[in-house]
Amino acid sequence: EQPLDAIVIGVPWKHHHAPRERLNPITVATVALGLALRLWRDAFPVADGGTAIVLHRLSRHFAHGSQDPYRELFHALRDGRTPTELAAAERAAATDQRALDAYRAGRACHPLLPYLDWESCRPALDRLGAVVVAGCRDHQAARTLGFVPTHGAAAALEMAHGRAGGRARVGFLLAPPYFPLEVGAG
């Protein structure tokens, strides 16, 4: 009947892009905020200013080679998150010949994919008051993305209740936000 005050989102450990590698901080955000919270088509599931609790360890791990463009975006976010600075980093990524060659050779994702992934989080980030990472092992990585790190789900839920004024209406999305389909002929 009404939007939730908080939603708990379980995030899988593998990348949603091929090759299926361990998630990095940006792809964790993309799966939780850019994919899972877009499952609702009629209305956003969380009240404006509400809380998203992401269940993930969120470590600063980037597979060498294949996730280099994600590492570059993460460094750009760490060094400065103004829209102008990110736009400049995106323009540089678009013309990085070494990154484009790695993409064309199948050794890395396209250098602009991380920027598109991060941008897919924007609608949720614009509406949410806080994104709390429950079970976070790399607090600086969470802060780089503008998230609040906590050691576990209990602390994250307590924070969500406090942000909602005492008793938050909490929903849970614990399955991966995408569903693999097997398509066959006839």
Side-chain angles (χ1 to χ4, degrees), residues 22-29 56-62 70 73-75 77-79 81 118 131-133 135-150:
R22 185 172 156 190
L23 291 173
N24 62 60
I26 295 166
T27 54
V28 167
H56 199 275
R57 288 187 179 163
L58 194 73
S59 62
R60 218 175 322 183
H61 174 81
F62 298 89
Y70 284 97
L73 173 58
F74 185 81
H75 291 304
L77 290 168
R78 184 190 65 200
D79 296 339
R81 293 191 323 216
W118 182 243
V131 176
V132 180
V133 183
C136 186
R137 298 295 180 254
D138 187 343
H139 290 209
Q140 190 56 45
R143 289 185 189 102
T144 294
L145 300 178
F147 301 163
V148 179
T150 63

Side-chain angles (χ1 to χ4, degrees), residues 20-87:
R20 301 197 41 99
E21 299 172 318
R22 185 172 156 190
L23 291 173
N24 62 60
I26 295 166
T27 54
V28 167
T30 302
V31 169
L33 306 176
L35 295 174
L37 290 182
R38 282 196 313 214
L39 291 174
W40 287 265
R41 294 184 181 189
D42 295 335
F44 194 69
V46 182
D48 285 347
T51 304
I53 298 172
V54 177
L55 298 175
H56 199 275
R57 288 187 179 163
L58 194 73
S59 62
R60 218 175 322 183
H61 174 81
F62 298 89
H64 290 288
S66 60
Q67 290 188 5
D68 286 348
Y70 284 97
R71 183 180 297 109
E72 295 299 321
L73 173 58
F74 185 81
H75 291 304
L77 290 168
R78 184 190 65 200
D79 296 339
R81 293 191 323 216
T82 67
T84 305
E85 292 168 329
L86 282 180

